[in-house]
Amino acid sequence: MLSLRNVDIQYVKGIGPARASLLAAELGLRTAYDLLRHYPTGYVDRSTFATARAVFDSLCRGVELPSIQLKGHFISFTVQGEGAKMRLVGLFTDGTATMECVWFRGVRAMRSRLKTGVEYVVFGKPSLFSHILQMSHPEVDSPQAIAGDMQAHGVYPLTEKLRQRGVNSRVLHAAVRSLLDSRKHLEDFIPKEVLAAENLPDIDSAIREVHMPGGTDTLAAARDRLKFEELFLIQTDMLRRSRRRKAQSEGLLMPRVGRWFNGFYHDFLPFELTGAQKRVIKEVRADMMSGRQMNRLVQGDVGSGKTLVAFMCMLLALDNGYQACLMAPTEILAAQHAATLRGMASAMGLGLALLTGSTPAGERHRIAQGLTDGSIHIIVGTHALLEDTVTFRNLGLAVIDEQHRFGVAQRARLWTKNDVPPHVLVMTATPIPRTLAMTVYGDLDVSVIDELPPGRKPIATALRSENDLPAIYRALHAEIAAGRRIYVVFPLIDENEKLDLASLEEGYKEIVAAFPEAGVAFVHGRMKPAEKDWQMKRFAEGEAAILVATTVIEVGVNVPEATVMIIRNAERFGLSQLHQLRGRVGRGADRSYCILVAKQKLSADTRRRLEVMTATTDGFRIAEADMEMRGPGDIEGTAQSGMPFELHIANLALDGVMIGRARAAAAALLDADPELTATANRRLAVALRSLAVKGIDWSKIS
Ligand code: ADP
Ligand code: MG
């Protein structure tokens, strides 16, 4: 049977060579099969005509209208402006009112094609412009030309160029219909039993339905099927790779719990572990004893105590004769981790070093020595750890804090530090919903610290405008007098954003002037590390009661005396960033506050976003809300995920239930037929083989 995959799109009725090359260039559609897989994003009704009068009235009442069509003729055409500003205005009437049709591109072509006094059908989205009814870039056809196509049809994703060249939704619809009428069958790579169990339609009916819907229920079922298919393919692929990797990849065997872990646990542990911390340590231990390489993500909200968990896992590695490293995204954070670990472990005689970009050469040399001879047990650092000059005697565990800051390729370099790759523990306080984690992190095992240490009081969060600043400042004097500390955060300084630096410095001066009684420290990303450290230290030690900063303090910084977080221009931050920043306070016993100071005038969307922050302190709920509003592609960390192909119809943010279904179905299938050798699964195996192979084997990388 001739597969539609082998039919060049130019041979589909109504396409031809010119349109074919356009479709290939603009949308990557090359075959008849590609065309069928190009799904509509909505539907329009071409079986009825609107009247200009009624459309005008509706728009005047503020009613938003979809694309509509009118039948009538042009009264006149005028070409206005010149060069790039040139536009064509055609005055159109259907006898009930007039409407301006406007073209900004292809002006000459349109002008020579269209005539006055001849009957046309115009189709497009109507709008009001200075109280005049308008349609820009409408599709214009003679009623005869489209007589056969006057029915409901899909609205297809298109580019401007395609539209300009007359390749519109109606054209695609006609082409798709001719294909569907030819009654060629598509191969269904989802096994029949799976479809039956999931109660989903087969591929032929789903494709027909999505292009030519028969009704809302059948359309919904068809869309479900197509979403399921995408997700099922991804999940099967990921699970299969992950199972193979687990079966094959040798890992360092670490069965012992010895003097490091036990000694710390009994003599130095500063507090009782939370139940969640204990559980996660147990999960990690099980991995380290399995003889396979650990590849585990620990998600835990800000302040849930991930550092301690990481530290105790590192002690387990030490107990088995290995070294461990902890990599953090910023120097401030690395330095702080080193200080924390030193504080907890110096009495135990632990060899601990800190390596960052600003470590002097002599010290580097000593560190290199200590790492090779094994006298350094744990090294904390930034990207500097990844350099080729850093070699270990026997690295057994690599912990990566706040992983979204590191690229996939960078992290992969850790693997080469040992003959047998070390166990990898990735920690993130930017939780992503579990269903999404399953997909973007592939085969990473996920642990969740879903409990905060006892005694934390929720951080009271308020949204205020800049006009409220004087009142806010008045309240802060009392906090300072009570010995508490305050963060004031301004948007990030980017290499190119000189303006931001100006506003940051101005903000700093304003704070200095407003709080004569307090020391004010100041840090931003473009400062020299030594200067940064000195400023941070002043704040941490209480010499400065206020820290004016950019988002360099976003992750991890821990000053328990800080009780107030003020975020200026809060509207310019993403939700997960705001959540991270807020997590800098509420770390001690005192009640803490977060005040989001935004512009007076906010768009409805921005206000809604900021109100999520005032409504909840749960990082998972915030991540979910963020994703619903912005889409998963924008969530930090997911862009670098290893999706094997682009999703066309499924949405990782919104189709959580479907992701779960697809994953369960994939797991069941692989349980029964791990290598997909059964005849019923043959097509699935072929489909998986043809998935675009990316440069990196993403299943291997955390
Ligand atoms: P995060 O998960 O955000 O990295 P940290 O590891 O920085 O959180 O911990 C936040 C604070 O909670 C630290 O001051 C830490 O000492 C403290 N902490 C951690 N675990 C516990 C616990 N079990 N009981 C009390 N305090 C804890
Ligand atoms: Mg942390």
Side-chain angles (χ1 to χ4, degrees):
M1 192 183 77
L2 184 63
S3 163
L4 289 175
R5 287 178 196 271
N6 298 328
V7 176
D8 191 315
I9 198 168
Q10 68 169 305
Y11 300 119
V12 178
K13 199 167 160 236
I15 300 293
R19 286 174 169 176
S21 62
L22 260 179
L23 285 168
E26 295 290 301
L27 298 174
L29 306 181
R30 293 189 169 78
T31 65
Y33 180 83
D34 292 345
L35 184 62
L36 289 180
R37 290 295 193 170
H38 191 59
Y39 310 131
T41 51
Y43 300 89
V44 288
D45 182 2
R46 300 291 305 255
S47 61
T48 58
F49 290 95
T51 66
R53 177 83 244 163
V55 169
F56 181 75
D57 287 346
S58 301
L59 290 174
C60 285
R61 287 199 312 273
V63 179
E64 173 96 32
L65 293 178
S67 293
I68 50 107
Q69 59 183 356
L70 300 175
K71 196 192 286 185
H73 63 274
F74 286 99
I75 301 165
S76 67
F77 291 101
T78 39
V79 176
Q80 303 172 347
E82 281 180 23
K85 293 249 169 78
M86 188 155 69
R87 59 189 199 138
L88 173 67
V89 180
L91 198 60
F92 183 89
T93 182
D94 68 346
T96 66
T98 56
M99 175 174 82
E100 284 185 359
C101 296
V102 188
W103 288 269
F104 302 93
R105 288 169 302 269
V107 166
R108 286 209 178 92
M110 252 359 227
R111 177 67 196 92
S112 62
R113 206 191 108 194
L114 301 177
K115 300 183 174 58
T116 55
V118 174
E119 189 167 65
Y120 288 115
V121 173
V122 298
F123 174 78
K125 201 168 158 57
S127 61
L128 276 190
F129 191 76
S130 309
H131 218 64
I132 293 171
L133 182 58
Q134 266 200 357
M135 204 178 261
S136 60
H137 287 260
E139 290 173 21
V140 183
D141 293 283
S142 74
Q144 299 79 352
I146 57 172
D149 306 326
M150 306 293 276
Q151 51 175 292
H153 69 69
V155 178
Y156 292 89
L158 291 167
T159 63
E160 195 52 49
K161 188 154 174 191
L162 282 164
R163 273 197 207 92
Q164 261 177 55
R165 306 280 179 88
V167 184
N168 51 39
S169 287
R170 198 172 47 73
V171 168
L172 288 193
H173 175 72
V176 165
R177 225 175 57 198
S178 80
L179 266 179
L180 291 174
D181 289 346
S182 74
R183 309 217 162 265
K184 289 211 171 51
H185 291 292
L186 292 175
E187 294 204 322
D188 207 332
F189 59 75
I190 304 188
K192 278 208 175 58
E193 302 74 63
V194 175
L195 286 180
E198 295 293 326
N199 196 18
L200 291 169
D202 66 28
I203 188 64
D204 280 327
S205 39
I207 289 282
R208 168 168 289 273
E209 190 66 26
V210 80
H211 291 290
M212 300 162 64
T216 32
D217 291 350
T218 44
L219 175 61
R223 288 180 58 85
D224 275 354
R225 139 86 211 206
L226 297 171
K227 287 178 180 180
F228 179 85
E229 173 187 298
E230 288 184 344
L231 298 167
F232 179 70
L233 201 57
I234 289 178
Q235 297 294 351
T236 310
D237 193 35
M238 285 188 170
L239 277 177
R240 192 166 58 145
R241 283 166 188 261
S242 128
R243 289 181 180 193
R244 275 187 191 154
R245 183 180 64 74
K246 282 188 184 159
Q248 289 164 4
S249 81
E250 184 196 349
L252 300 166
L253 191 60
M254 303 193 184
R256 264 189 307 278
V257 185
R259 74 170 181 101
W260 289 113
F261 187 94
N262 285 329
F264 176 76
Y265 191 78
H266 291 120
D267 302 334
F268 298 102
L269 187 62
F271 20 62
E272 183 79 7
L273 293 174
T274 64
Q277 285 172 317
K278 282 186 194 156
R279 174 165 40 77
V280 173
I281 292 171
K282 272 202 195 115
E283 286 167 357
V284 170
R285 248 208 88 203
D287 286 352
M288 291 164 84
M289 294 192 322
S290 71
R292 309 220 171 95
Q293 191 212 12
M294 172 172 73
N295 220 352
R296 185 170 285 278
L297 175 76
V298 176
Q299 294 198 29
D301 212 341
V302 180
S304 59
K306 292 185 292 296
T307 319
L308 185 61
V309 168
F311 181 58
M312 295 185 69
C313 296
M314 290 194 276
L315 294 179
L316 284 175
L318 267 51
D319 276 334
N320 289 274
Y322 293 97
Q323 294 165 298
C325 73
L326 169 56
M327 185 161 77
T330 64
E331 292 205 4
I332 291 183
L333 197 52
Q336 185 188 289
H337 277 324
T340 308
L341 299 195
R342 259 194 203 110
M344 290 197 280
S346 53
M348 299 170 63
L350 188 91
L352 190 131
L354 171 67
L355 179 71
T356 69
S358 51
T359 305
E363 173 73 3
R364 257 167 208 268
H365 191 72
R366 272 194 299 281
I367 289 175
Q369 196 70 48
L371 284 177
T372 17
D373 69 21
S375 60
I376 294 178
H377 302 107
I378 293 181
I379 183 153
V380 181
T382 55
H383 300 80
L385 292 178
L386 297 173
E387 281 162 24
D388 292 336
T389 50
V390 179
T391 52
F392 293 82
R393 193 165 79 98
N394 55 1
L395 178 63
L397 170 65
V399 181
I400 303 173
D401 197 17
E402 307 299 350
Q403 64 83 224
H404 62 274
R405 297 296 187 89
F406 294 103
V408 167
Q410 277 179 327
R411 281 178 269 139
R413 284 168 64 182
L414 276 176
W415 288 65
T416 61
K417 298 267 174 199
N418 242 35
D419 294 340
V420 178
H423 296 298
V424 178
L425 191 62
V426 173
M427 304 198 293
T428 177
T430 313
I432 59 175
R434 209 178 176 92
T435 50
L436 180 61
M438 281 179 199
T439 306
V440 296
Y441 293 126
D443 71 327
L444 265 186
D445 295 308
V446 179
S447 289
V448 184
I449 308 187
D450 50 6
E451 184 184 349
L452 292 181
R456 295 273 165 80
K457 300 199 178 73
I459 302 159
T461 305
L463 176 59
R464 295 280 180 271
S465 89
E466 278 159 8
N467 301 344
D468 301 321
L469 277 174
I472 294 171
Y473 286 175
R474 275 197 297 280
L476 291 184
H477 289 296
E479 285 287 305
I480 294 172
R484 311 217 173 93
R485 277 167 239 167
I486 296 157
Y487 291 102
V488 184
V489 176
F490 286 81
L492 184 80
I493 294 191
D494 215 59
E495 291 305 332
N496 304 316
E497 293 186 52
K498 292 237 164 59
L499 257 181
D500 276 348
L501 182 57
S503 75
L504 178 71
E505 276 170 351
E506 206 169 288
Y508 169 66
K509 283 186 197 138
E510 180 190 307
I511 302 279
V512 170
F515 297 93
E517 80 273 28
V520 183
F522 184 45
V523 291
H524 59 75
R526 277 197 281 169
M527 255 176 191
K528 292 228 166 59
E531 167 79 0
K532 231 189 280 178
D533 282 353
W534 182 71
Q535 296 277 357
M536 282 304 297
K537 214 163 150 186
R538 287 177 60 214
F539 182 66
E541 288 171 1
E543 187 195 317
I546 303 177
L547 177 67
V548 176
T550 60
T551 47
V552 290
I553 60 153
E554 177 186 330
V555 286
V557 170
N558 190 25
V559 178
E561 295 84 359
T563 55
V564 183
M565 167 62 65
I566 299 194
I567 303 173
R568 299 286 301 268
N569 297 106
E571 73 278 0
R572 289 175 56 184
F573 292 91
L575 276 186
S576 63
Q577 251 185 330
L578 291 173
H579 181 62
Q580 283 288 325
L581 286 168
R582 177 165 62 184
R584 297 311 105 215
V585 296
R587 304 191 144 235
D590 290 330
R591 183 162 177 78
S592 293
Y593 305 86
C594 173
I595 303 171
L596 308 172
V597 183
K599 284 188 310 197
Q600 180 77 27
K601 264 191 135 168
L602 295 174
S603 72
D605 275 356
T606 307
R607 183 166 295 278
R608 208 155 50 88
R609 204 156 53 80
L610 292 174
E611 278 167 357
V612 172
M613 293 298 298
T614 59
T616 180
T617 51
D618 180 334
F620 284 85
R621 278 181 57 196
I622 289 172
E624 239 150 18
D626 203 14
M627 206 160 69
E628 270 163 33
M629 287 183 225
R630 298 196 301 163
D634 288 332
I635 301 288
E636 282 173 295
T638 59
Q640 54 181 261
S641 72
M643 296 286 289
F645 58 89
E646 211 179 308
L647 297 175
H648 293 297
I649 187 164
N651 178 319
L652 294 181
L654 304 176
D655 294 324
V657 173
M658 194 55 97
I659 294 174
R661 270 172 75 178
R663 186 163 178 99
L669 188 81
L670 290 172
D671 285 346
D673 182 13
E675 288 303 321
L676 302 179
T677 46
T679 322
N681 301 331
R682 188 180 47 86
R683 291 202 187 112
L684 178 61
V686 172
L688 288 172
R689 268 202 296 283
S690 66
L691 278 187
V693 180
K694 284 199 165 183
I696 292 171
D697 177 0
W698 40 272
S699 76
K700 268 196 162 181
I701 292 161
S702 43

